[in-house]
Amino acid sequence: MYFKIAFRTIFLYFLIVFYYRIMGKKEVGELSIIDLIVSFSIAELASICIEEPNKSIWTSVIPITLLVIIEIIMSYISMKSDKFRKMTGGTPSIIVKNGKINRSVMSKLRYTLDDLLTQLREKDVKSLDEIKYAVLETDGELSIFKDDIYPMPLICDGVIDYETLKNINKNSEWLYKVLNDKHVDIDDVYYAFYKNKTTYIITRDELL
């Protein structure tokens, strides 16, 4: 009995480590909601296998393997589809803009003032007056910018971020004009961002 439990523990440990290397996951803070769900499910299935040695080990290995396959497929689709990535992983939200709290966004996210102040204290920020922008990332982390030099994504992998255009009071016609002036086609843009009233563009040809 004890030998079986020890064997399953060691086997599942190396199996899960191997699977996580395949999935390319790093730190817990970098996991999306779906990643966390998969992680908790894998942990639960592994614990069931260890705690109930009378059950076949395959009753846990098979569903764990299926979860990993699903996660890999979804990660691949997310890389190819911006809409799918936003649907499953969400998008960063500007909580503080030009030093002012965006209450409508906070209400939509059910993110309270106490949440904001708590995360500001964790960043050693004593007062809202010290920051210009605060962005709630998809993993729940709060990114703080104390000046106007906040890089706002305009294009990600050839897809326009209309939320950013709205935040900087611009439209798609303005963006296409910028691209035209720089002689760049939108399909060739890997990443473009707006920072300090300047548009920066990284094309696919510039990637390694």
Side-chain angles (χ1 to χ4, degrees), residues 55-79:
K55 288 187 177 181
S56 171
I57 193 173
W58 295 107
T59 58
S60 289
V61 172
I62 291 175
I64 287 174
T65 302
L66 286 174
L67 284 172
V68 171
I69 292 172
I70 292 171
E71 172 67 9
I72 292 172
I73 292 174
M74 292 186 67
S75 296
Y76 179 79
I77 296 174
S78 294
M79 290 177 61

mmCIF file with all atom_site columns, all heavy atoms in Angstrom, residues 55-79:
data_model
loop_
_atom_site.group_PDB
_atom_site.id
_atom_site.type_symbol
_atom_site.label_atom_id
_atom_site.label_alt_id
_atom_site.label_comp_id
_atom_site.label_asym_id
_atom_site.label_entity_id
_atom_site.label_seq_id
_atom_site.pdbx_PDB_ins_code
_atom_site.Cartn_x
_atom_site.Cartn_y
_atom_site.Cartn_z
_atom_site.occupancy
_atom_site.B_iso_or_equiv
_atom_site.pdbx_formal_charge
_atom_site.auth_seq_id
_atom_site.auth_comp_id
_atom_site.auth_asym_id
_atom_site.auth_atom_id
_atom_site.pdbx_PDB_model_num
ATOM 1   N N   . LYS A 1 55 ? -7.998  2.803  -6.615  1.00 0.00 ? 55 LYS A N   1
ATOM 2   C CA  . LYS A 1 55 ? -8.440  3.154  -7.958  1.00 0.00 ? 55 LYS A CA  1
ATOM 3   C C   . LYS A 1 55 ? -7.268  3.065  -8.936  1.00 0.00 ? 55 LYS A C   1
ATOM 4   O O   . LYS A 1 55 ? -6.112  3.304  -8.556  1.00 0.00 ? 55 LYS A O   1
ATOM 5   C CB  . LYS A 1 55 ? -9.018  4.564  -7.977  1.00 0.00 ? 55 LYS A CB  1
ATOM 6   C CG  . LYS A 1 55 ? -10.371 4.699  -7.292  1.00 0.00 ? 55 LYS A CG  1
ATOM 7   C CD  . LYS A 1 55 ? -10.945 6.093  -7.498  1.00 0.00 ? 55 LYS A CD  1
ATOM 8   C CE  . LYS A 1 55 ? -12.331 6.207  -6.883  1.00 0.00 ? 55 LYS A CE  1
ATOM 9   N NZ  . LYS A 1 55 ? -12.918 7.568  -7.106  1.00 0.00 ? 55 LYS A NZ  1
ATOM 10  N N   . SER A 1 56 ? -7.578  2.782  -10.182 1.00 0.00 ? 56 SER A N   1
ATOM 11  C CA  . SER A 1 56 ? -6.527  2.708  -11.209 1.00 0.00 ? 56 SER A CA  1
ATOM 12  C C   . SER A 1 56 ? -5.879  4.074  -11.411 1.00 0.00 ? 56 SER A C   1
ATOM 13  O O   . SER A 1 56 ? -6.573  5.100  -11.394 1.00 0.00 ? 56 SER A O   1
ATOM 14  C CB  . SER A 1 56 ? -7.123  2.227  -12.534 1.00 0.00 ? 56 SER A CB  1
ATOM 15  O OG  . SER A 1 56 ? -6.169  2.339  -13.582 1.00 0.00 ? 56 SER A OG  1
ATOM 16  N N   . ILE A 1 57 ? -4.579  4.079  -11.599 1.00 0.00 ? 57 ILE A N   1
ATOM 17  C CA  . ILE A 1 57 ? -3.849  5.340  -11.804 1.00 0.00 ? 57 ILE A CA  1
ATOM 18  C C   . ILE A 1 57 ? -4.314  6.042  -13.072 1.00 0.00 ? 57 ILE A C   1
ATOM 19  O O   . ILE A 1 57 ? -4.227  7.264  -13.193 1.00 0.00 ? 57 ILE A O   1
ATOM 20  C CB  . ILE A 1 57 ? -2.331  5.064  -11.846 1.00 0.00 ? 57 ILE A CB  1
ATOM 21  C CG1 . ILE A 1 57 ? -1.558  6.398  -11.745 1.00 0.00 ? 57 ILE A CG1 1
ATOM 22  C CG2 . ILE A 1 57 ? -1.938  4.313  -13.115 1.00 0.00 ? 57 ILE A CG2 1
ATOM 23  C CD1 . ILE A 1 57 ? -0.065  6.219  -11.601 1.00 0.00 ? 57 ILE A CD1 1
ATOM 24  N N   . TRP A 1 58 ? -4.863  5.265  -14.016 1.00 0.00 ? 58 TRP A N   1
ATOM 25  C CA  . TRP A 1 58 ? -5.309  5.836  -15.289 1.00 0.00 ? 58 TRP A CA  1
ATOM 26  C C   . TRP A 1 58 ? -6.552  6.691  -15.139 1.00 0.00 ? 58 TRP A C   1
ATOM 27  O O   . TRP A 1 58 ? -6.846  7.523  -15.997 1.00 0.00 ? 58 TRP A O   1
ATOM 28  C CB  . TRP A 1 58 ? -5.556  4.709  -16.301 1.00 0.00 ? 58 TRP A CB  1
ATOM 29  C CG  . TRP A 1 58 ? -4.303  3.987  -16.651 1.00 0.00 ? 58 TRP A CG  1
ATOM 30  C CD1 . TRP A 1 58 ? -3.935  2.723  -16.266 1.00 0.00 ? 58 TRP A CD1 1
ATOM 31  C CD2 . TRP A 1 58 ? -3.216  4.491  -17.432 1.00 0.00 ? 58 TRP A CD2 1
ATOM 32  N NE1 . TRP A 1 58 ? -2.692  2.408  -16.752 1.00 0.00 ? 58 TRP A NE1 1
ATOM 33  C CE2 . TRP A 1 58 ? -2.226  3.471  -17.473 1.00 0.00 ? 58 TRP A CE2 1
ATOM 34  C CE3 . TRP A 1 58 ? -2.983  5.692  -18.092 1.00 0.00 ? 58 TRP A CE3 1
ATOM 35  C CZ2 . TRP A 1 58 ? -1.034  3.638  -18.158 1.00 0.00 ? 58 TRP A CZ2 1
ATOM 36  C CZ3 . TRP A 1 58 ? -1.792  5.854  -18.782 1.00 0.00 ? 58 TRP A CZ3 1
ATOM 37  C CH2 . TRP A 1 58 ? -0.825  4.834  -18.808 1.00 0.00 ? 58 TRP A CH2 1
ATOM 38  N N   . THR A 1 59 ? -7.285  6.519  -14.024 1.00 0.00 ? 59 THR A N   1
ATOM 39  C CA  . THR A 1 59 ? -8.461  7.359  -13.807 1.00 0.00 ? 59 THR A CA  1
ATOM 40  C C   . THR A 1 59 ? -8.066  8.814  -13.560 1.00 0.00 ? 59 THR A C   1
ATOM 41  O O   . THR A 1 59 ? -8.906  9.713  -13.671 1.00 0.00 ? 59 THR A O   1
ATOM 42  C CB  . THR A 1 59 ? -9.274  6.860  -12.599 1.00 0.00 ? 59 THR A CB  1
ATOM 43  O OG1 . THR A 1 59 ? -8.439  6.860  -11.428 1.00 0.00 ? 59 THR A OG1 1
ATOM 44  C CG2 . THR A 1 59 ? -9.801  5.462  -12.837 1.00 0.00 ? 59 THR A CG2 1
ATOM 45  N N   . SER A 1 60 ? -6.796  9.042  -13.233 1.00 0.00 ? 60 SER A N   1
ATOM 46  C CA  . SER A 1 60 ? -6.285  10.405 -13.079 1.00 0.00 ? 60 SER A CA  1
ATOM 47  C C   . SER A 1 60 ? -5.385  10.810 -14.240 1.00 0.00 ? 60 SER A C   1
ATOM 48  O O   . SER A 1 60 ? -5.430  11.950 -14.699 1.00 0.00 ? 60 SER A O   1
ATOM 49  C CB  . SER A 1 60 ? -5.503  10.542 -11.769 1.00 0.00 ? 60 SER A CB  1
ATOM 50  O OG  . SER A 1 60 ? -6.354  10.497 -10.654 1.00 0.00 ? 60 SER A OG  1
ATOM 51  N N   . VAL A 1 61 ? -4.575  9.869  -14.731 1.00 0.00 ? 61 VAL A N   1
ATOM 52  C CA  . VAL A 1 61 ? -3.636  10.186 -15.807 1.00 0.00 ? 61 VAL A CA  1
ATOM 53  C C   . VAL A 1 61 ? -4.365  10.584 -17.083 1.00 0.00 ? 61 VAL A C   1
ATOM 54  O O   . VAL A 1 61 ? -3.988  11.554 -17.756 1.00 0.00 ? 61 VAL A O   1
ATOM 55  C CB  . VAL A 1 61 ? -2.695  8.986  -16.083 1.00 0.00 ? 61 VAL A CB  1
ATOM 56  C CG1 . VAL A 1 61 ? -1.852  9.246  -17.338 1.00 0.00 ? 61 VAL A CG1 1
ATOM 57  C CG2 . VAL A 1 61 ? -1.784  8.743  -14.885 1.00 0.00 ? 61 VAL A CG2 1
ATOM 58  N N   . ILE A 1 62 ? -5.431  9.861  -17.418 1.00 0.00 ? 62 ILE A N   1
ATOM 59  C CA  . ILE A 1 62 ? -6.166  10.153 -18.661 1.00 0.00 ? 62 ILE A CA  1
ATOM 60  C C   . ILE A 1 62 ? -6.805  11.544 -18.627 1.00 0.00 ? 62 ILE A C   1
ATOM 61  O O   . ILE A 1 62 ? -6.599  12.346 -19.556 1.00 0.00 ? 62 ILE A O   1
ATOM 62  C CB  . ILE A 1 62 ? -7.231  9.064  -18.940 1.00 0.00 ? 62 ILE A CB  1
ATOM 63  C CG1 . ILE A 1 62 ? -6.532  7.754  -19.314 1.00 0.00 ? 62 ILE A CG1 1
ATOM 64  C CG2 . ILE A 1 62 ? -8.172  9.504  -20.071 1.00 0.00 ? 62 ILE A CG2 1
ATOM 65  C CD1 . ILE A 1 62 ? -7.479  6.586  -19.501 1.00 0.00 ? 62 ILE A CD1 1
ATOM 66  N N   . PRO A 1 63 ? -7.584  11.906 -17.585 1.00 0.00 ? 63 PRO A N   1
ATOM 67  C CA  . PRO A 1 63 ? -8.157  13.267 -17.575 1.00 0.00 ? 63 PRO A CA  1
ATOM 68  C C   . PRO A 1 63 ? -7.097  14.359 -17.472 1.00 0.00 ? 63 PRO A C   1
ATOM 69  O O   . PRO A 1 63 ? -7.275  15.437 -18.044 1.00 0.00 ? 63 PRO A O   1
ATOM 70  C CB  . PRO A 1 63 ? -9.078  13.260 -16.353 1.00 0.00 ? 63 PRO A CB  1
ATOM 71  C CG  . PRO A 1 63 ? -8.647  12.103 -15.524 1.00 0.00 ? 63 PRO A CG  1
ATOM 72  C CD  . PRO A 1 63 ? -8.118  11.090 -16.473 1.00 0.00 ? 63 PRO A CD  1
ATOM 73  N N   . ILE A 1 64 ? -5.994  14.106 -16.748 1.00 0.00 ? 64 ILE A N   1
ATOM 74  C CA  . ILE A 1 64 ? -4.915  15.100 -16.680 1.00 0.00 ? 64 ILE A CA  1
ATOM 75  C C   . ILE A 1 64 ? -4.336  15.330 -18.067 1.00 0.00 ? 64 ILE A C   1
ATOM 76  O O   . ILE A 1 64 ? -4.107  16.482 -18.485 1.00 0.00 ? 64 ILE A O   1
ATOM 77  C CB  . ILE A 1 64 ? -3.810  14.646 -15.700 1.00 0.00 ? 64 ILE A CB  1
ATOM 78  C CG1 . ILE A 1 64 ? -4.290  14.784 -14.257 1.00 0.00 ? 64 ILE A CG1 1
ATOM 79  C CG2 . ILE A 1 64 ? -2.538  15.477 -15.897 1.00 0.00 ? 64 ILE A CG2 1
ATOM 80  C CD1 . ILE A 1 64 ? -3.322  14.234 -13.223 1.00 0.00 ? 64 ILE A CD1 1
ATOM 81  N N   . THR A 1 65 ? -4.112  14.236 -18.787 1.00 0.00 ? 65 THR A N   1
ATOM 82  C CA  . THR A 1 65 ? -3.567  14.344 -20.146 1.00 0.00 ? 65 THR A CA  1
ATOM 83  C C   . THR A 1 65 ? -4.523  15.095 -21.064 1.00 0.00 ? 65 THR A C   1
ATOM 84  O O   . THR A 1 65 ? -4.107  15.934 -21.869 1.00 0.00 ? 65 THR A O   1
ATOM 85  C CB  . THR A 1 65 ? -3.292  12.942 -20.723 1.00 0.00 ? 65 THR A CB  1
ATOM 86  O OG1 . THR A 1 65 ? -2.389  12.246 -19.859 1.00 0.00 ? 65 THR A OG1 1
ATOM 87  C CG2 . THR A 1 65 ? -2.663  13.040 -22.116 1.00 0.00 ? 65 THR A CG2 1
ATOM 88  N N   . LEU A 1 66 ? -5.829  14.818 -20.935 1.00 0.00 ? 66 LEU A N   1
ATOM 89  C CA  . LEU A 1 66 ? -6.822  15.514 -21.755 1.00 0.00 ? 66 LEU A CA  1
ATOM 90  C C   . LEU A 1 66 ? -6.840  17.010 -21.450 1.00 0.00 ? 66 LEU A C   1
ATOM 91  O O   . LEU A 1 66 ? -6.931  17.837 -22.361 1.00 0.00 ? 66 LEU A O   1
ATOM 92  C CB  . LEU A 1 66 ? -8.211  14.917 -21.513 1.00 0.00 ? 66 LEU A CB  1
ATOM 93  C CG  . LEU A 1 66 ? -8.478  13.539 -22.132 1.00 0.00 ? 66 LEU A CG  1
ATOM 94  C CD1 . LEU A 1 66 ? -9.833  13.008 -21.684 1.00 0.00 ? 66 LEU A CD1 1
ATOM 95  C CD2 . LEU A 1 66 ? -8.423  13.618 -23.655 1.00 0.00 ? 66 LEU A CD2 1
ATOM 96  N N   . LEU A 1 67 ? -6.730  17.361 -20.167 1.00 0.00 ? 67 LEU A N   1
ATOM 97  C CA  . LEU A 1 67 ? -6.698  18.772 -19.780 1.00 0.00 ? 67 LEU A CA  1
ATOM 98  C C   . LEU A 1 67 ? -5.483  19.472 -20.390 1.00 0.00 ? 67 LEU A C   1
ATOM 99  O O   . LEU A 1 67 ? -5.586  20.609 -20.863 1.00 0.00 ? 67 LEU A O   1
ATOM 100 C CB  . LEU A 1 67 ? -6.659  18.904 -18.253 1.00 0.00 ? 67 LEU A CB  1
ATOM 101 C CG  . LEU A 1 67 ? -7.975  18.657 -17.510 1.00 0.00 ? 67 LEU A CG  1
ATOM 102 C CD1 . LEU A 1 67 ? -7.729  18.637 -16.010 1.00 0.00 ? 67 LEU A CD1 1
ATOM 103 C CD2 . LEU A 1 67 ? -8.993  19.740 -17.859 1.00 0.00 ? 67 LEU A CD2 1
ATOM 104 N N   . VAL A 1 68 ? -4.347  18.794 -20.383 1.00 0.00 ? 68 VAL A N   1
ATOM 105 C CA  . VAL A 1 68 ? -3.125  19.373 -20.948 1.00 0.00 ? 68 VAL A CA  1
ATOM 106 C C   . VAL A 1 68 ? -3.278  19.569 -22.452 1.00 0.00 ? 68 VAL A C   1
ATOM 107 O O   . VAL A 1 68 ? -2.895  20.614 -23.001 1.00 0.00 ? 68 VAL A O   1
ATOM 108 C CB  . VAL A 1 68 ? -1.905  18.477 -20.643 1.00 0.00 ? 68 VAL A CB  1
ATOM 109 C CG1 . VAL A 1 68 ? -0.678  18.961 -21.412 1.00 0.00 ? 68 VAL A CG1 1
ATOM 110 C CG2 . VAL A 1 68 ? -1.610  18.468 -19.149 1.00 0.00 ? 68 VAL A CG2 1
ATOM 111 N N   . ILE A 1 69 ? -3.851  18.592 -23.131 1.00 0.00 ? 69 ILE A N   1
ATOM 112 C CA  . ILE A 1 69 ? -4.061  18.698 -24.578 1.00 0.00 ? 69 ILE A CA  1
ATOM 113 C C   . ILE A 1 69 ? -4.994  19.862 -24.896 1.00 0.00 ? 69 ILE A C   1
ATOM 114 O O   . ILE A 1 69 ? -4.743  20.651 -25.820 1.00 0.00 ? 69 ILE A O   1
ATOM 115 C CB  . ILE A 1 69 ? -4.631  17.379 -25.142 1.00 0.00 ? 69 ILE A CB  1
ATOM 116 C CG1 . ILE A 1 69 ? -3.580  16.265 -25.051 1.00 0.00 ? 69 ILE A CG1 1
ATOM 117 C CG2 . ILE A 1 69 ? -5.072  17.565 -26.601 1.00 0.00 ? 69 ILE A CG2 1
ATOM 118 C CD1 . ILE A 1 69 ? -4.116  14.898 -25.413 1.00 0.00 ? 69 ILE A CD1 1
ATOM 119 N N   . ILE A 1 70 ? -6.090  19.972 -24.134 1.00 0.00 ? 70 ILE A N   1
ATOM 120 C CA  . ILE A 1 70 ? -7.033  21.078 -24.334 1.00 0.00 ? 70 ILE A CA  1
ATOM 121 C C   . ILE A 1 70 ? -6.343  22.418 -24.115 1.00 0.00 ? 70 ILE A C   1
ATOM 122 O O   . ILE A 1 70 ? -6.537  23.380 -24.873 1.00 0.00 ? 70 ILE A O   1
ATOM 123 C CB  . ILE A 1 70 ? -8.248  20.937 -23.392 1.00 0.00 ? 70 ILE A CB  1
ATOM 124 C CG1 . ILE A 1 70 ? -9.082  19.723 -23.797 1.00 0.00 ? 70 ILE A CG1 1
ATOM 125 C CG2 . ILE A 1 70 ? -9.106  22.206 -23.416 1.00 0.00 ? 70 ILE A CG2 1
ATOM 126 C CD1 . ILE A 1 70 ? -10.178 19.382 -22.798 1.00 0.00 ? 70 ILE A CD1 1
ATOM 127 N N   . GLU A 1 71 ? -5.526  22.503 -23.054 1.00 0.00 ? 71 GLU A N   1
ATOM 128 C CA  . GLU A 1 71 ? -4.815  23.744 -22.744 1.00 0.00 ? 71 GLU A CA  1
ATOM 129 C C   . GLU A 1 71 ? -3.848  24.132 -23.864 1.00 0.00 ? 71 GLU A C   1
ATOM 130 O O   . GLU A 1 71 ? -3.762  25.300 -24.252 1.00 0.00 ? 71 GLU A O   1
ATOM 131 C CB  . GLU A 1 71 ? -4.045  23.574 -21.428 1.00 0.00 ? 71 GLU A CB  1
ATOM 132 C CG  . GLU A 1 71 ? -3.107  24.707 -21.087 1.00 0.00 ? 71 GLU A CG  1
ATOM 133 C CD  . GLU A 1 71 ? -3.829  26.003 -20.771 1.00 0.00 ? 71 GLU A CD  1
ATOM 134 O OE1 . GLU A 1 71 ? -5.056  25.983 -20.646 1.00 0.00 ? 71 GLU A OE1 1
ATOM 135 O OE2 . GLU A 1 71 ? -3.153  27.037 -20.670 1.00 0.00 ? 71 GLU A OE2 1
ATOM 136 N N   . ILE A 1 72 ? -3.136  23.155 -24.415 1.00 0.00 ? 72 ILE A N   1
ATOM 137 C CA  . ILE A 1 72 ? -2.196  23.422 -25.510 1.00 0.00 ? 72 ILE A CA  1
ATOM 138 C C   . ILE A 1 72 ? -2.942  23.911 -26.751 1.00 0.00 ? 72 ILE A C   1
ATOM 139 O O   . ILE A 1 72 ? -2.516  24.859 -27.417 1.00 0.00 ? 72 ILE A O   1
ATOM 140 C CB  . ILE A 1 72 ? -1.370  22.163 -25.839 1.00 0.00 ? 72 ILE A CB  1
ATOM 141 C CG1 . ILE A 1 72 ? -0.427  21.837 -24.673 1.00 0.00 ? 72 ILE A CG1 1
ATOM 142 C CG2 . ILE A 1 72 ? -0.569  22.353 -27.127 1.00 0.00 ? 72 ILE A CG2 1
ATOM 143 C CD1 . ILE A 1 72 ? 0.295   20.519 -24.816 1.00 0.00 ? 72 ILE A CD1 1
ATOM 144 N N   . ILE A 1 73 ? -4.073  23.270 -27.059 1.00 0.00 ? 73 ILE A N   1
ATOM 145 C CA  . ILE A 1 73 ? -4.876  23.668 -28.222 1.00 0.00 ? 73 ILE A CA  1
ATOM 146 C C   . ILE A 1 73 ? -5.400  25.084 -28.048 1.00 0.00 ? 73 ILE A C   1
ATOM 147 O O   . ILE A 1 73 ? -5.342  25.911 -28.969 1.00 0.00 ? 73 ILE A O   1
ATOM 148 C CB  . ILE A 1 73 ? -6.044  22.681 -28.430 1.00 0.00 ? 73 ILE A CB  1
ATOM 149 C CG1 . ILE A 1 73 ? -5.514  21.312 -28.864 1.00 0.00 ? 73 ILE A CG1 1
ATOM 150 C CG2 . ILE A 1 73 ? -7.017  23.229 -29.483 1.00 0.00 ? 73 ILE A CG2 1
ATOM 151 C CD1 . ILE A 1 73 ? -6.580  20.238 -28.942 1.00 0.00 ? 73 ILE A CD1 1
ATOM 152 N N   . MET A 1 74 ? -5.899  25.395 -26.847 1.00 0.00 ? 74 MET A N   1
ATOM 153 C CA  . MET A 1 74 ? -6.435  26.731 -26.586 1.00 0.00 ? 74 MET A CA  1
ATOM 154 C C   . MET A 1 74 ? -5.338  27.798 -26.624 1.00 0.00 ? 74 MET A C   1
ATOM 155 O O   . MET A 1 74 ? -5.556  28.909 -27.105 1.00 0.00 ? 74 MET A O   1
ATOM 156 C CB  . MET A 1 74 ? -7.150  26.764 -25.234 1.00 0.00 ? 74 MET A CB  1
ATOM 157 C CG  . MET A 1 74 ? -8.431  25.954 -25.207 1.00 0.00 ? 74 MET A CG  1
ATOM 158 S SD  . MET A 1 74 ? -9.367  26.115 -23.672 1.00 0.00 ? 74 MET A SD  1
ATOM 159 C CE  . MET A 1 74 ? -9.878  27.822 -23.759 1.00 0.00 ? 74 MET A CE  1
ATOM 160 N N   . SER A 1 75 ? -4.154  27.443 -26.154 1.00 0.00 ? 75 SER A N   1
ATOM 161 C CA  . SER A 1 75 ? -3.025  28.381 -26.211 1.00 0.00 ? 75 SER A CA  1
ATOM 162 C C   . SER A 1 75 ? -2.642  28.667 -27.648 1.00 0.00 ? 75 SER A C   1
ATOM 163 O O   . SER A 1 75 ? -2.333  29.809 -28.009 1.00 0.00 ? 75 SER A O   1
ATOM 164 C CB  . SER A 1 75 ? -1.822  27.809 -25.449 1.00 0.00 ? 75 SER A CB  1
ATOM 165 O OG  . SER A 1 75 ? -2.109  27.669 -24.082 1.00 0.00 ? 75 SER A OG  1
ATOM 166 N N   . TYR A 1 76 ? -2.682  27.634 -28.475 1.00 0.00 ? 76 TYR A N   1
ATOM 167 C CA  . TYR A 1 76 ? -2.358  27.802 -29.899 1.00 0.00 ? 76 TYR A CA  1
ATOM 168 C C   . TYR A 1 76 ? -3.386  28.689 -30.589 1.00 0.00 ? 76 TYR A C   1
ATOM 169 O O   . TYR A 1 76 ? -3.034  29.598 -31.347 1.00 0.00 ? 76 TYR A O   1
ATOM 170 C CB  . TYR A 1 76 ? -2.294  26.435 -30.580 1.00 0.00 ? 76 TYR A CB  1
ATOM 171 C CG  . TYR A 1 76 ? -1.991  26.518 -32.062 1.00 0.00 ? 76 TYR A CG  1
ATOM 172 C CD1 . TYR A 1 76 ? -0.688  26.724 -32.518 1.00 0.00 ? 76 TYR A CD1 1
ATOM 173 C CD2 . TYR A 1 76 ? -3.014  26.404 -33.004 1.00 0.00 ? 76 TYR A CD2 1
ATOM 174 C CE1 . TYR A 1 76 ? -0.410  26.807 -33.864 1.00 0.00 ? 76 TYR A CE1 1
ATOM 175 C CE2 . TYR A 1 76 ? -2.745  26.492 -34.355 1.00 0.00 ? 76 TYR A CE2 1
ATOM 176 C CZ  . TYR A 1 76 ? -1.436  26.695 -34.792 1.00 0.00 ? 76 TYR A CZ  1
ATOM 177 O OH  . TYR A 1 76 ? -1.164  26.795 -36.134 1.00 0.00 ? 76 TYR A OH  1
ATOM 178 N N   . ILE A 1 77 ? -4.671  28.448 -30.299 1.00 0.00 ? 77 ILE A N   1
ATOM 179 C CA  . ILE A 1 77 ? -5.733  29.269 -30.893 1.00 0.00 ? 77 ILE A CA  1
ATOM 180 C C   . ILE A 1 77 ? -5.595  30.720 -30.429 1.00 0.00 ? 77 ILE A C   1
ATOM 181 O O   . ILE A 1 77 ? -5.799  31.657 -31.200 1.00 0.00 ? 77 ILE A O   1
ATOM 182 C CB  . ILE A 1 77 ? -7.123  28.715 -30.532 1.00 0.00 ? 77 ILE A CB  1
ATOM 183 C CG1 . ILE A 1 77 ? -7.316  27.323 -31.134 1.00 0.00 ? 77 ILE A CG1 1
ATOM 184 C CG2 . ILE A 1 77 ? -8.221  29.651 -31.034 1.00 0.00 ? 77 ILE A CG2 1
ATOM 185 C CD1 . ILE A 1 77 ? -8.602  26.644 -30.709 1.00 0.00 ? 77 ILE A CD1 1
ATOM 186 N N   . SER A 1 78 ? -5.242  30.908 -29.154 1.00 0.00 ? 78 SER A N   1
ATOM 187 C CA  . SER A 1 78 ? -5.079  32.255 -28.608 1.00 0.00 ? 78 SER A CA  1
ATOM 188 C C   . SER A 1 78 ? -3.973  33.018 -29.324 1.00 0.00 ? 78 SER A C   1
ATOM 189 O O   . SER A 1 78 ? -4.059  34.231 -29.520 1.00 0.00 ? 78 SER A O   1
ATOM 190 C CB  . SER A 1 78 ? -4.767  32.185 -27.106 1.00 0.00 ? 78 SER A CB  1
ATOM 191 O OG  . SER A 1 78 ? -5.866  31.675 -26.395 1.00 0.00 ? 78 SER A OG  1
ATOM 192 N N   . MET A 1 79 ? -2.912  32.301 -29.699 1.00 0.00 ? 79 MET A N   1
ATOM 193 C CA  . MET A 1 79 ? -1.810  32.938 -30.414 1.00 0.00 ? 79 MET A CA  1
ATOM 194 C C   . MET A 1 79 ? -2.238  33.389 -31.802 1.00 0.00 ? 79 MET A C   1
ATOM 195 O O   . MET A 1 79 ? -1.735  34.381 -32.327 1.00 0.00 ? 79 MET A O   1
ATOM 196 C CB  . MET A 1 79 ? -0.623  31.970 -30.534 1.00 0.00 ? 79 MET A CB  1
ATOM 197 C CG  . MET A 1 79 ? 0.088   31.685 -29.226 1.00 0.00 ? 79 MET A CG  1
ATOM 198 S SD  . MET A 1 79 ? 1.421   30.481 -29.427 1.00 0.00 ? 79 MET A SD  1
ATOM 199 C CE  . MET A 1 79 ? 2.488   31.359 -30.583 1.00 0.00 ? 79 MET A CE  1
#
